[in-house]
């Protein structure tokens, strides 16, 4: 099954831990993805296609982290993994 990954810096107060996580493409596009920061153990909502977290997603209008960041005016970078394991950003 196809997998996606995310690299981010935790935004919890006094954390700023940078980490990477992987999850299935199906969960990102049709389900819910929550990842836990290994530094502070805070959980971050990455995707909510089921509408369970309406308070965090403007009543379900924003379905994933890309939509949330774009709504805030922040930049989203997508990349792809080549055969050698190197990430190339588009």
């Amino acid at each position: 099954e196809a997998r996606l990954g995310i690299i981010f810096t935790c935004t919890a107060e006094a954390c700023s831990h940078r980490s990477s996580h992987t999850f299935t493409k199906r969960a990102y596009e049709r389900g819910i993805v929550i990842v836990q920061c290994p530094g502070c153990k805070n959980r971050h909502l990455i995707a909510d296609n089921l509408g369970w977290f309406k308070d965090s997603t403007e009543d379900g209008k924003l379905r994933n982290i890309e939509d949330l960041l774009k709504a805030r005016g922040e930049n989203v970078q997508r990349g792809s993994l080549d055969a050698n394991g190197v990430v190339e950003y588009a």
Side-chain angles (χ1 to χ4, degrees):
E1 186 168 6
R3 298 190 66 79
L4 301 174
I6 187 171
I7 301 170
F8 73 99
T9 303
C10 180
T11 58
E13 190 173 326
C15 182
S16 298
H17 186 87
R18 190 151 176 84
S19 61
S20 64
H21 304 269
T22 62
F23 39 85
T24 65
K25 183 176 180 181
R26 182 184 342 177
Y28 185 74
E29 293 178 348
R30 292 189 271 170
I32 293 178
V33 177
I34 299 172
V35 298
Q36 185 172 14
C37 172
C40 68
K41 307 298 184 212
N42 192 32
R43 290 179 180 89
H44 300 272
L45 180 64
I46 303 303
D48 177 13
N49 293 289
L50 303 179
W52 287 7
F53 299 94
K54 291 188 187 295
D55 292 345
S56 301
T57 61
E58 291 187 15
D59 205 29
K61 294 176 197 159
L62 308 174
R63 296 191 169 269
N64 57 50
I65 192 67
E66 293 173 85
D67 293 343
L68 290 164
L69 291 174
K70 286 177 186 175
R72 291 182 190 169
E74 296 185 37
N75 187 24
V76 176
Q77 287 186 323
R78 280 183 159 244
S80 60
L81 193 62
D82 71 11
N84 298 319
V86 176
V87 177
E88 296 179 5
Y89 292 100

